Amino acid sequence: MTQIAVLPGDGIGPEVTAAAVRVLDAAHPGLSFVEAPIGANAIATVGEPMPADTVRICSESAAILFGAVGGPGHDHLPPDKRPEAAILGLRKHFNLYANVRPARVFPGMETRSPLRSELVDGMDLVFVRELTGGLYFGEKTLTKEDGHETVRDVLIYRDYEIERVARFAFALARMRSKRLTSVDKNNVLLSSQLWRRIVIEVAKDFPDVKLEHMLVDNAAMQLVRDPRAFDVIVTENMFGDILSDEAAMITGTIGTASSAALNSAPDANGFGLYEPISGTAPDIAGKGLANPIGAILSAAMLARYSLGDEAGATAIERAVSETLAEGPRTRDLDAAGGASTNAVADAIVARISKVAA
Ligand code: IPM
Ligand code: MG
């Protein structure tokens, strides 16, 4: 029996993850799900954000379905003791260097975008964010130098780290429209110069993919000017963190944004960690109001990338698309009404079961 590790985490994590488990079970019956603590709740129960037992359960599983981590009361802790250390730690531990973050406007959702609907109608791009290097993983120090508090966040990239994520992005571009935008800050950062040089080198193995380079500040601007001009975007860790949130909001809500963190080619059916981008959303946590679709679309990617079940993935995505068009919808998408997390999950499960029956 194929085992999936379920790490609900904090905030709305448990609600949306439970919804995703139900949907995945409907689309791909016969999986076994094993739950484990992570993040703030793991700090509270086990005393650390990423308990060894949780890591063991993950390593015995085919994939990880992840909710969200974070919570109040941890701001005074050093970065490696905070709930967020758990997700960074899992990415590093399992070498999940390639982060796939689609930003797609489903039919009928155009009017939810903060941009004019004609600008986003049919928008369908995907970020490949480098996930285990760069600023978030370098040495961090706070010292006193010449009487001044002095802080260092070290940014390190090794050639092979850039090369493997570039290869992943080219391979993904090849499976889509064969266009790739590489985002960097080549005019200021040495790390970006190496990034660009290696991306150009890798491009030689993908002559059928059209490559363009864009500076990150310009990319932030072009994303709101004409998001449909992009298809696959590859970039380093922090730029990808920021730009993928921007793109998610352009689709109308971060509640439908999904992600996959992988360590093998996009068609390899390997191990992966799947999580919605929305985070813990403490203001609505525990109220059954959260949009479960980000988690549900993450489960669809789990079916696609870790189970090799393209039919199951497509079934979930179709059911999500129909549910977004016809309802019910959570209140981030429907100010007037606003269905519960469970009502949306019920509707998606029912649409999957109808096709399967
Ligand atoms: C994300 C989040 C994380 C990140 C945080 C929680 C460490 O913002 O997945 O985008 O920065 O990667
Ligand atoms: Mg983020």
Side-chain angles (χ1 to χ4, degrees):
M1 214 179 198
T2 305
Q3 175 175 309
I4 307 296
V6 179
L7 276 42
D10 311 316
I12 61 169
E15 303 156 59
V16 298
T17 309
V21 166
R22 286 175 50 213
V23 170
L24 185 56
D25 188 50
H28 190 106
L31 296 168
S32 75
F33 297 95
V34 180
E35 216 175 285
I38 197 80
N41 69 76
I43 295 175
T45 55
V46 191
E48 47 184 328
M50 187 176 83
D53 246 9
T54 297
V55 177
R56 183 183 50 78
I57 289 169
C58 293
S59 61
E60 291 163 1
S61 302
I64 306 170
L65 200 54
F66 189 95
V69 288
H74 300 95
D75 284 350
H76 61 288
L77 295 173
D80 62 325
K81 301 274 183 281
R82 295 174 56 106
E84 290 81 358
I87 183 61
L88 296 171
L90 285 174
R91 291 168 180 170
K92 197 71 174 179
H93 182 89
F94 291 105
N95 199 24
L96 302 168
Y97 61 83
N99 189 205
V100 179
R101 298 191 161 195
R104 178 171 168 205
V105 170
F106 287 91
M109 289 292 104
E110 305 80 15
T111 56
R112 317 280 160 182
S113 175
L115 300 186
R116 291 196 308 280
S117 24
E118 67 265 28
L119 287 177
V120 300
D121 187 6
M123 169 182 168
D124 180 11
L125 60 81
V126 44
F127 277 92
V128 176
R129 167 188 175 194
E130 199 293 322
L131 204 57
T132 52
L135 263 185
Y136 296 7
F137 289 95
E139 194 190 345
K140 302 171 180 8
T141 55
L142 176 61
T143 53
K144 202 99 177 193
E145 290 176 25
D146 302 328
H148 295 285
E149 283 196 297
T150 305
V151 69
R152 285 186 181 77
D153 284 305
V154 179
L155 191 158
I156 303 174
Y157 267 114
R158 296 179 179 83
D159 51 9
Y160 69 88
E161 296 175 304
I162 301 172
E163 183 186 337
R164 65 188 179 185
V165 74
R167 279 193 190 284
F168 183 100
F170 274 104
L172 189 65
R174 192 170 254 175
M175 294 160 72
R176 291 173 51 107
S177 77
K178 299 190 166 55
R179 287 186 297 121
L180 178 64
T181 306
S182 172
V183 170
D184 61 37
K185 189 72 184 173
N186 180 62
N187 52 347
V188 176
L189 298 177
L190 193 55
S191 55
S192 282
Q193 289 182 8
L194 182 64
W195 177 278
R196 195 176 283 210
R197 186 147 60 71
I198 290 174
V199 169
I200 290 171
E201 200 54 42
V202 172
K204 291 180 186 156
D205 293 338
F206 298 85
D208 52 321
V209 175
K210 195 174 165 322
L211 170 67
E212 69 167 343
H213 304 277
M214 199 177 277
L215 296 176
V216 62
D217 43 356
N218 186 28
M221 201 162 65
Q222 300 306 327
L223 269 173
V224 287
R225 193 184 67 85
D226 185 13
R228 290 179 305 182
F230 294 93
D231 192 66
V232 180
I233 303 170
V234 63
T235 191
E236 64 93 55
N237 201 342
M238 183 170 70
F239 296 162
D241 185 21
I242 297 168
L243 292 179
S244 62
D245 269 25
E246 182 190 357
M249 189 42 77
I250 292 171
T251 72
T253 174
I254 202 167
T256 57
S258 57
S259 80
L262 307 171
N263 61 13
S264 51
D267 53 0
N269 299 338
F271 184 79
L273 182 154
Y274 301 85
E275 57 168 326
I277 299 189
S278 58
T280 53
D283 50 322
I284 56 167
K287 297 183 181 160
L289 299 172
N291 191 338
I293 288 179
I296 289 168
L297 289 174
S298 301
M301 288 206 278
L302 189 160
R304 172 171 297 122
Y305 293 124
S306 286
L307 306 176
D309 180 10
E310 182 58 34
T314 315
I316 296 173
E317 286 161 355
R318 193 181 304 122
V320 163
S321 185
E322 287 171 12
T323 304
L324 283 170
E326 295 161 23
R329 298 181 205 96
T330 44
R331 63 169 198 172
D332 51 324
L333 291 172
D334 189 352
S340 68
T341 307
N342 285 335
V344 173
D346 289 344
I348 292 169
V349 168
R351 286 186 168 104
I352 291 170
S353 314
K354 202 165 83 194
V355 175

